[in-house]
Amino acid sequence: MRLTFALLLALGCKGRVEDTDTVPDGDADTDTDADSDSDSDADTDSDADTDSDADSDADTDTDADTDTDADTDTDTDSDSDTDTDADTDSDADTAADTAAPADTASDTGSPGDTAVPPPAVTAWFGGGSAHWNDYVVSDGATPFDASGAACAGTEPGFYSACLHAGEWLAMPVPGATACAGLTATDDLDAFQWSCVDDGGIRFVSTGLKEGRGLADLLDFAALAWRDNRLVVEDGTGVVASSEPGPWHDNPVQVVTNVSVLNTAGTVYVIPSDTAASPLITADRVALVTGPGARMLGGVSNLTPNQGRRFLWLEGDFDSTNSFVIRLYDTRFSVVRNVRGDGSLRLVGSSANRVQGARFSTTNDPVEVDPNSHHNLFEGLAVFQGHASGLRLNGDDNVLASVVVGNSNVGIYVLGGHSNALLGATSNASGSHSLWLNDADDTTVLAYASINGFRGVTVDDTLGVRLHDAILTDQWLGTGVAGIGASRSANSAVTLSGRFQTGGLDALCVVGVTPTACSAFSDTPGVVESTGVTLATSFVGAVADAANPDDDATGLATYSLANERILWDTAWRGWGRAAPLPDNALRGDCDLTNPSCQVWDWALRETDAVARGLLEVPVNADAVVVPHRWTADQAACASLQGAMWTASGCRSMLLVHAREIGQDGVGNDNLLCEAGERCVHLPNVGGYQGHGGLQSLGPAGPAGDVALYGPVSNGF
């Protein structure tokens, strides 16, 4: 479903930007069959159709059929054709003859007549063909105002310190005088577009749509970029359209089973299953698998070839090793739409972005080492972590919409400070569901857990904030109820918002002593509820049609060969076959516990416990809380969204929301802050709805946050 929103923003020297379609539609349908037949019988007959019988092929058919044999004789003139034959035959035969009504070519048959060429889609930074792997410094008042200077890859802060120039494209709209009423779509339905008024009307892409990727832009058989076309409409018809053609010019090369990816600027592809463990030895490299294809091995940039910048990794990775992606000293790189049977490891790697990814393995599926900072994770699913599901040891990382299921320790933050979790679920953990150990200044919003050992454990940690949590049905052993939240006597935790518990032996424990949760918290004000259960909140045990290894009830016997990539939804993975809740369900299925079941940790649409619990943050519900970073005063000045205060380097974030990234607005640190466009987090947990976004209007204490919410919430 396409949804169109209009939001007028003041953007300094670049004039005005009217956001006509920059919200990711959330439709993860990655069907690339966009009818991009490139058989270019583009009839370029040099006769130029000079007989004055101009059959007025000004058909503005906006079909996504980009077949370039679309009768492109040069009489692509519009209805303003002044052909003296006055042949008004409107026999509109023009899939590619997309000259809009603004096309004023007058095919009068006179020798000097020159047709006005259609507008072209070019790179926003520098013009011409876009280079997919290029980055520029975000040095303007807004991303639209950036100078276009090349990014060195050493810039401080988050991924947004640089802009991925390959996703920033632009096309002018000839004859248009305002953005109002205009919308733009590309034939591949790949990009999100904003209308810019900077003395002329242009549509600008600031990034790919949610669920779309580099794979949608490539022809894996031809080893080429697919033709694309941008069509602008005003509600009554097409007003401008580019010619079909590729928008990027990077070379496309096949990965072999002995590949070293050593040519900067190259897009490396895997068109069919390939047993490879390629080594990346160059910057500005992309690696992507084709539809239905897998790389059977792990990708890395091991010593001595570490220190890579500007990588793009996408697709299905199935490894017999313990990792599928291992990044050493890597910065300003993207891991997008990756489904991995194996783990993601960041070692000394900072300022990277992980989007729409899932990992499953018998080891730690996602591991961020102590020297990896300022990474962003958005839409992350993790299953079957034998040691832990998500292990976070670095500082200042932000994670939004995280689901961890059926692992030993669910989420383990060890030695990492100032990390933020914005919507997280950790279910069926063999041990601690969320363990903060020497993890000062961790912020956790909208957290849910069922069927672990302890819902939250805080050891040797100060400055923790837990805002809105539901912890139910934890287990100390068979038939023995567990603990909701536990902290060591030398730890400090602030509970705020709602704190709901049930099915527990003790709601809160300090040291070894059960205590009231109000005494567990440093400050009063939390709203407590007891007797709650999440037992029927989740979709739960299901059969999965996409996975070939489960039976009609979702059961399978454990094997290393079990399918861990193909699932009907992103929130599914293997766990133990046992009831929910039950002590026997804790942990991953393995050789010791070989009876496996498909578990789905999205919410049911009928759930009334976690689903829809969190208010839209407006008026009295527009609560803002601080998050403290590790930066000193000098470093704080260059950290996106941060300010130096008497309490250190801080950001003020709106609860029940996260920032929309890559929309040309805000600082893209995923925290929802004043003046940004954000997504409402309606649920407690990592699942926050699906199927696109719709406008919810202004939000925040000052009403300066443009808020959107999911179209669908629950299954």
Side-chain angles (χ1 to χ4, degrees):
M1 175 181 294
R2 266 189 49 70
L3 296 166
T4 301
F5 311 107
L7 173 65
L8 196 62
L9 303 168
L11 290 180
C13 66
K14 284 292 183 184
R16 299 180 303 169
V17 171
E18 182 170 345
D19 176 17
T20 59
D21 185 23
T22 63
V23 181
D25 67 359
D27 187 346
D29 181 359
T30 57
D31 181 4
T32 59
D33 188 9
D35 201 359
S36 63
D37 183 8
S38 60
D39 72 7
S40 52
D41 303 24
D43 189 348
T44 58
D45 186 349
S46 60
D47 290 347
D49 202 0
T50 57
D51 70 2
S52 53
D53 179 41
D55 55 357
S56 184
D57 285 358
D59 183 345
T60 57
D61 182 358
T62 58
D63 253 332
D65 185 347
T66 62
D67 185 338
T68 59
D69 65 350
D71 193 15
T72 60
D73 326 55
T74 58
D75 71 344
T76 56
D77 40 355
S78 69
D79 289 342
S80 63
D81 187 342
T82 60
D83 180 355
T84 56
D85 277 359
D87 182 345
T88 58
D89 177 8
S90 58
D91 180 63
D93 162 16
T94 62
D97 184 3
T98 56
D103 182 356
T104 59
S106 55
D107 182 12
T108 63
S110 60
D113 184 38
T114 303
V116 176
V121 175
T122 60
W124 171 260
F125 299 109
S129 294
H131 309 301
W132 183 259
N133 299 321
D134 285 2
Y135 283 74
V136 300
V137 181
S138 183
D139 55 4
T142 74
F144 292 91
D145 302 312
S147 67
C151 196
T154 57
E155 289 75 6
F158 291 98
Y159 175 81
S160 56
C162 295
L163 301 172
H164 182 218
E167 294 178 81
W168 281 76
L169 305 163
M171 187 187 82
V173 185
T177 59
C179 286
L182 298 181
T183 60
T185 55
D186 58 273
D187 282 354
L188 300 181
D189 194 30
F191 294 94
Q192 48 192 16
W193 298 93
S194 295
C195 188
V196 176
D197 181 354
D198 57 354
I201 304 301
R202 290 188 283 178
F203 270 90
V204 182
S205 161
T206 59
L208 291 165
K209 287 186 171 185
E210 183 177 319
R212 296 299 188 181
L214 176 56
D216 296 298
L217 309 180
L218 297 173
D219 183 329
F220 287 84
L223 298 181
W225 294 88
R226 296 175 66 186
D227 285 352
N228 204 355
R229 179 184 61 152
L230 185 64
V231 177
V232 178
E233 299 180 79
D234 66 357
T236 62
V238 174
V239 299
S241 174
S242 66
E243 291 283 5
W247 292 348
H248 298 81
D249 62 3
N250 304 74
V252 181
Q253 182 176 326
V254 172
V255 173
T256 68
N257 59 359
V258 291
S259 282
V260 175
L261 312 187
N262 58 5
T263 303
T266 299
V267 174
Y268 291 94
V269 299
I270 298 176
S272 57
D273 287 1
T274 301
S277 294
L279 187 65
I280 300 175
T281 62
D283 294 338
R284 298 189 299 113
V285 161
L287 173 63
V288 56
T289 65
R294 301 185 185 191
M295 191 186 79
L296 306 174
V299 60
S300 181
N301 59 320
L302 286 166
T303 304
N305 298 299
Q306 58 191 20
R308 300 278 64 87
R309 305 291 182 262
F310 317 125
L311 308 181
W312 185 285
L313 304 175
E314 176 183 315
D316 292 346
F317 298 81
D318 192 344
S319 178
T320 55
N321 299 313
S322 60
F323 69 91
V324 291
I325 296 175
R326 181 166 52 184
L327 301 179
Y328 281 75
D329 186 21
T330 299
R331 294 176 60 83
F332 297 103
S333 296
V334 172
V335 176
R336 184 179 176 97
N337 297 345
V338 166
R339 299 184 297 183
D341 183 357
S343 65
L344 167 67
R345 294 184 182 176
L346 302 185
V347 181
S349 295
S350 300
N352 301 294
R353 188 162 195 142
V354 179
Q355 299 172 290
R358 59 170 294 124
F359 299 91
S360 179
T361 181
T362 54
N363 296 303
D364 301 316
V366 176
E367 183 178 355
V368 181
D369 93 320
N371 297 309
S372 297
H373 316 300
H374 300 115
N375 296 291
L376 303 175
F377 296 80
E378 184 179 359
L380 180 66
V382 177
F383 283 83
Q384 285 187 283
H386 183 68
S388 58
L390 167 60
R391 185 182 180 97
L392 189 58
N393 305 126
D395 301 333
D396 300 310
N397 300 285
V398 181
L399 303 92
S401 301
V402 176
V403 172
V404 179
N406 311 89
S407 298
N408 185 28
V409 176
I411 301 171
Y412 188 20
V413 185
L414 174 61
H417 295 176
S418 298
N419 295 292
L421 286 165
L422 314 177
T425 294
S426 182
N427 287 349
S429 300
S431 180
H432 307 273
S433 298
L434 171 61
W435 190 4
L436 307 179
N437 189 349
D438 183 18
D440 291 355
D441 300 311
T442 300
T443 298
V444 182
L445 307 183
Y447 169 68
S449 175
I450 186 174
N451 215 95
F453 167 64
R454 294 178 180 175
V456 176
T457 305
V458 182
D459 289 329
D460 302 320
T461 297
L462 301 175
V464 172
R465 176 177 292 276
L466 181 58
H467 186 94
D468 295 319
I470 304 177
L471 315 174
T472 80
D473 305 289
Q474 310 289 318
W475 300 94
L476 294 177
T478 302
V480 182
I483 296 169
S486 170
R487 70 170 174 86
S488 61
N490 63 342
S491 295
V493 178
T494 295
L495 300 179
S496 56
R498 295 176 175 83
F499 189 76
Q500 302 191 23
T501 56
L504 304 169
D505 176 61
L507 307 184
C508 293
V509 172
V510 175
V512 295
T513 305
T515 185
C517 293
S518 57
F520 179 91
S521 176
D522 274 0
T523 58
V526 66
V527 178
E528 293 186 65
S529 300
T530 58
V532 175
T533 182
L534 292 168
T536 60
S537 295
F538 300 99
V539 176
V542 294
D544 189 280
N547 194 302
D549 288 340
D550 67 325
D551 64 17
T553 60
L555 294 171
T557 300
Y558 174 80
S559 167
L560 283 174
N562 287 148
E563 176 61 55
R564 295 181 178 87
I565 288 178
L566 299 177
W567 302 99
D568 281 332
T569 76
W571 303 278
R572 292 184 179 182
W574 293 112
R576 294 184 184 180
L580 175 70
D582 194 288
N583 183 65
L585 180 59
R586 288 171 44 201
D588 61 323
C589 64
D590 52 22
L591 290 173
T592 304
N593 300 277
S595 183
C596 300
Q597 170 72 56
V598 178
W599 286 94
D600 187 329
W601 297 122
L603 294 173
R604 295 179 181 270
E605 63 181 358
T606 55
D607 175 55
V609 178
R611 177 185 171 275
L613 182 68
L614 305 183
E615 301 88 355
V616 173
V618 297
N619 302 322
D621 295 317
V623 177
V624 175
V625 298
H627 176 70
R628 182 174 177 175
W629 308 103
T630 61
D632 60 19
Q633 187 169 0
C636 189
S638 59
L639 186 62
Q640 295 82 359
M643 65 186 80
W644 185 257
T645 70
S647 301
C649 187
R650 289 192 171 195
S651 290
M652 302 300 296
L653 62 146
L654 186 66
V655 303
H656 305 172
R658 67 159 174 83
E659 183 185 10
I660 295 174
Q662 297 171 283
D663 60 349
V665 181
N667 54 49
D668 280 5
N669 63 5
L670 292 184
L671 307 182
C672 182
E673 297 156 299
E676 296 184 335
R677 298 188 332 126
C678 301
V679 176
H680 177 219
L681 304 181
N683 307 326
V684 178
Y687 168 76
Q688 293 294 339
H690 64 280
L693 298 174
Q694 57 190 340
S695 177
L696 300 180
D704 59 354
V705 170
L707 195 68
Y708 299 83
V711 171
S712 300
N713 190 12
F715 292 92

